[in-house]
Amino acid sequence: MEKQKTEERNQAYNQYVEMVTPKKNLILQMLKAFISGGIICVVGQIILNICADLGMDKEAQGAWCSMMLILLSVLLTGFSLYQVIASWGGAGALVPITGFANGVASPAIEYKAEGQVFGIGVKIFTIAGPVILYGIFTSWILGFLYWLLRML
C-alpha cells in the first residue's frame, strides 16, 4: 500500500515537472546563439579594423580588441543589459571573452553592498574562479605531458 502511494506521488510529481518545465525550440536557440555570438565577433572585427587604420601592429590590435570587448561587456553588465543579451542569445553571448568578463563583473556588482573585502573581494571570482583554476591545472597537465613526450 505504501509503495503504491509513493509510486503515485512520484508519477504526479513527474507530471507536474513536465508541465512547468519550459519547452525550448533547439533550432531557434541555436540560431539566436549564432546571431548573438556573430554580433560580438563583428564588434570585435570592427575594433580590429579601427586599430589597423590607426597603424597598430597585429599584436597591439589583438590586445586592444580584447580590452575593448571586456570593457564593453563590463559596462553592459553594470547597466544590467548583458543579462538580457545572454538570456536571449544563450551560449552565443556566454562563451566568448565577453561572457568571461561578465562572469567576473556580475558577482562584483551583486555583492558590492557587502563592502570591498567581504563583498567584492570574496565573491568576485565565484563564477570565474573555477574556470581559472581548471584552465591553469589543465595547461599544467598538458605541458607536463608535452615535456614528457619530448623527453621520450
Side-chain angles (χ1 to χ4, degrees):
M1 188 70 158
E2 183 68 30
K3 188 174 183 179
Q4 184 180 3
K5 284 184 179 183
T6 303
E7 188 66 34
E8 288 174 7
R9 185 181 66 222
N10 288 345
Q11 186 176 4
Y13 177 75
N14 288 337
Q15 288 173 349
Y16 171 74
V17 168
E18 184 70 29
M19 183 180 69
V20 298
T21 302
K23 307 290 185 263
K24 294 190 177 188
N25 182 342
L26 181 61
I27 301 297
L28 182 62
Q29 289 300 111
M30 290 187 328
L31 181 63
K32 287 179 177 181
F34 180 77
I35 290 170
S36 63
I39 290 171
I40 292 169
C41 291
V42 167
V43 170
Q45 187 62 51
I46 290 169
I47 294 169
L48 285 173
N49 291 348
I50 290 170
C51 290
D53 290 344
L54 293 173
M56 295 182 191
D57 63 349
K58 292 280 186 191
E59 190 173 316
Q61 291 174 23
W64 274 97
C65 181
S66 297
M67 288 187 296
M68 293 305 295
L69 286 174
I70 290 169
L71 175 65
L72 288 173
S73 174
V74 170
L75 288 174
L76 289 173
T77 300
F79 289 116
S80 300
L81 297 174
Y82 201 89
Q83 184 59 35
V84 174
I85 296 168
S87 294
W88 185 83
L94 296 176
V95 172
I97 191 170
T98 54
F100 188 74
N102 171 262
V104 173
S106 292
I109 292 168
E110 183 177 346
Y111 292 101
K112 70 180 178 184
E114 295 179 25
Q116 294 290 317
V117 175
F118 293 112
I120 296 172
V122 172
K123 301 292 186 176
I124 194 165
F125 290 114
T126 55
I127 295 172
V131 174
I132 294 169
L133 171 72
Y134 290 111
I136 291 171
F137 181 70
T138 302
S139 66
W140 185 86
I141 295 283
L142 292 174
F144 179 74
L145 291 175
Y146 177 76
W147 175 79
L148 195 62
L149 288 173
R150 297 263 322 206
M151 295 299 285
L152 298 174

